[in-house]
Amino acid sequence: KKNIPNIRAGYTARPLEEPGKSALVQQKRFWYGATNTNPMKGAFLWMPLKLHTRRSIRQFLNRPVGEDLVKELLSAAMSAPTAGGIQPWRFVVITDREKLDKIPDFHPYAGMIKQAPLAILVCGDTTSANYGKYWVQDAPPHGNLLLAARAKELASLWCGVHPVPEREQAFRELFNLPDTVSPLGLAILGYSETPFSHKERYDEQKVHYNVW
């Protein structure tokens, strides 16, 4: 049986009949099984494939990301769940080249941002949360944001900011954040020639049922 090439994801799917292979590999066969009369047969399985091939990418092309696409990413981010529907997230969309280039001066893991055309600073408005310090658990829509980027063939990298006080203060000063808004992390985004790929990360040893 022949392997099925997956140009978009950057890896080769294996035949469904091979024992012991991941569900992701098997799902790929169903994607190719979509038909004109039932196109959603494959479409429903396409998003899991995007999810499993999202990875941190640190090389970016000098190619701008359109405003409409940025809004799509933000819309996906704002669809994330929050306790009580608080939605305390706030976003700073960063395209200013001078500001992007200043970030590595105070964030040691953001050097690649000098190649990227776009970053989104994810913040939380502490005044909008009814649960005090628990704003942190309700302000991280970045999972949705990064997966939406992958779905749109954008490379991404997540750089943490909170709870390092020095980094938080530097972001506050550079982007003029009010005292009631806390920076959580930075999504670096852009197009890249680095292929998306799948690495099996499921680890049964990290899973417990009913009790530890």
Side-chain angles (χ1 to χ4, degrees):
K1 294 180 173 61
K2 295 182 179 180
N3 287 348
I4 301 173
N6 177 5
I7 303 300
R8 292 167 69 84
Y11 71 95
T12 300
R14 300 180 181 86
L16 177 62
E17 293 78 10
E18 287 189 16
K21 302 305 180 184
S22 70
L24 169 69
V25 172
Q26 298 186 42
Q27 286 172 354
K28 191 59 192 175
R29 290 298 296 270
F30 285 104
W31 167 249
Y32 282 95
T35 65
N36 290 335
T37 57
N38 187 15
M40 297 309 294
K41 175 183 178 182
F44 278 122
L45 293 173
W46 183 236
M47 189 57 197
L49 291 168
K50 296 280 188 174
L51 184 154
H52 283 285
T53 55
R54 200 220 72 81
R55 53 173 293 196
S56 296
I57 292 179
R58 294 171 171 80
Q59 293 82 35
F60 297 91
L61 299 174
N62 183 22
R63 176 183 169 187
V65 178
E67 183 178 341
D68 288 344
L69 182 49
V70 172
K71 289 183 178 179
E72 287 189 57
L73 301 181
L74 293 172
S75 177
M78 294 182 196
S79 296
T82 58
I86 293 170
Q87 302 181 9
W89 46 59
R90 303 292 184 268
F91 304 90
V92 180
V93 178
I94 312 165
T95 56
D96 184 294
R97 185 74 265 163
E98 184 177 350
K99 290 186 180 296
L100 289 169
D101 290 346
K102 285 182 178 179
I103 291 175
D105 292 344
F106 52 82
H107 198 304
Y109 306 111
M112 70 295 299
I113 202 171
K114 292 190 175 183
Q115 305 172 22
L118 168 70
I120 297 178
L121 182 63
V122 179
C123 307
D125 183 350
T126 58
T127 64
S128 66
N130 296 327
Y131 305 111
K133 63 182 180 181
Y134 296 107
W135 70 269
V136 175
Q137 75 177 15
D138 287 323
H142 53 281
N144 281 25
L145 176 63
L146 299 179
L147 289 174
R150 170 65 188 96
K152 293 296 184 178
E153 304 297 332
L154 287 176
S156 64
L157 179 70
W158 177 253
C159 293
V161 177
H162 180 83
V164 182
E166 297 80 9
R167 290 184 202 169
E168 291 188 63
Q169 184 58 33
F171 276 100
R172 288 181 187 279
E173 293 177 1
L174 182 59
F175 297 103
N176 196 31
L177 303 182
D179 293 338
T180 56
V181 173
S182 295
L184 181 69
L186 182 73
I188 302 175
L189 302 151
Y191 294 96
S192 178
E193 292 182 344
T194 302
F196 298 104
S197 60
H198 171 245
K199 179 179 180 180
E200 185 60 66
R201 297 182 184 274
Y202 182 79
D203 185 351
E204 189 69 29
Q205 295 181 352
K206 297 180 179 179
V207 181
H208 307 273
Y209 294 93
N210 298 318
V211 295
W212 190 275

